[in-house]
Amino acid sequence: MDAEIQKALNEHIKEELNAEHHYLATAAYLDGLSLEGMSQWMRAQAREEHDHAMRIFDFVLHRGGRVDLKGVDAPRAGFDSPLEAFQHALAGERKVTAQINELYELATSRKDHATRVMLEWFITEQVEEEDTMQTIVDQLEMAGSDSAAMLMMDQRLGERAAAP
Ligand SMILES: [Fe+2]
Ligand SMILES: [Fe+2]
């Protein structure tokens, strides 16, 4: 496969694994606040990011390319509040969206249709991820310092995480 595309895909495998680690760190932070539903939700997100990394990992291998793992960056360990943790997650998702868009533009300019089609799944997925994260941020802002509202959200997010 095209050397520049292979390099960019390998860099993106790292970004998805970074996201996995960020969500695991956030899950640990939320668990520390006894927000176990939110922590479970973040663990489910981490598993999704792992699956995203493996999608590209397998794609590179199926194309006869070389997987070149970079190692992951240390994630941020703490936040000021659950709201800040989810705001940080939303910013991270927006960054990933921008990276996917750049990859798509590269694949288009190189006429690499297989990579372009593979990336279309990610473009759709990112719309979903940003929307979900934005909704949680909005609701946490509404909840403010109301602990009853916070506990209700914790329960609801925990239920979603437990769904198959
Ligand atoms: Fe992802
Ligand atoms: Fe994501």
Side-chain angles (χ1 to χ4, degrees):
M1 61 188 304
D2 180 284
E4 199 180 338
I5 288 180
Q6 177 175 289
K7 185 167 174 276
L9 290 176
N10 274 302
E11 280 163 10
H12 200 75
I13 291 172
K14 177 186 172 173
E15 293 300 333
E16 297 289 344
L17 293 174
N18 272 341
E20 178 190 12
H21 276 235
H22 270 101
Y23 287 134
L24 284 177
T26 312
Y29 164 74
L30 292 164
D31 193 270
L33 299 178
S34 295
L35 292 167
E36 290 177 357
M38 291 187 194
S39 179
Q40 288 299 330
W41 192 92
M42 281 291 171
R43 287 165 210 232
Q45 278 293 116
R47 284 192 291 275
E48 276 195 19
E49 301 303 351
H50 185 81
D51 291 345
H52 295 172
M54 293 311 293
R55 256 179 195 261
I56 300 174
F57 181 103
D58 285 332
F59 178 79
V60 170
L61 294 179
H62 290 160
R63 298 281 306 280
R66 190 165 59 90
V67 167
D68 181 18
L69 294 177
K70 311 280 186 196
V72 291
D73 301 331
R76 195 175 140 175
F79 302 92
D80 295 338
S81 63
L83 172 61
E84 205 223 344
F86 277 90
Q87 282 170 333
H88 183 76
L90 176 58
E93 289 299 338
R94 286 179 176 153
K95 193 175 138 221
V96 169
T97 300
Q99 288 161 344
I100 296 281
N101 288 342
E102 273 180 32
L103 272 173
Y104 190 87
E105 282 161 27
L106 175 66
T108 304
S109 72
R110 295 294 166 100
K111 296 187 168 57
D112 185 342
H113 306 300
T115 298
R116 196 174 48 74
V117 168
M118 183 275 291
L119 290 169
E120 278 169 6
W121 182 90
F122 281 89
I123 290 171
T124 307
E125 175 71 7
Q126 283 308 117
V127 173
E128 182 76 34
E129 297 253 276
E130 283 192 38
D131 179 50
T132 306
M133 213 63 84
Q134 182 72 62
T135 301
I136 297 170
V137 166
D138 290 346
Q139 291 183 355
L140 282 171
E141 279 173 352
M142 280 182 236
S145 56
D146 180 346
S147 49
M150 190 69 90
L151 288 173
M152 208 188 295
M153 277 194 73
D154 184 63
Q155 193 180 2
R156 194 177 61 78
L157 289 173
E159 281 166 8
R160 180 181 170 269

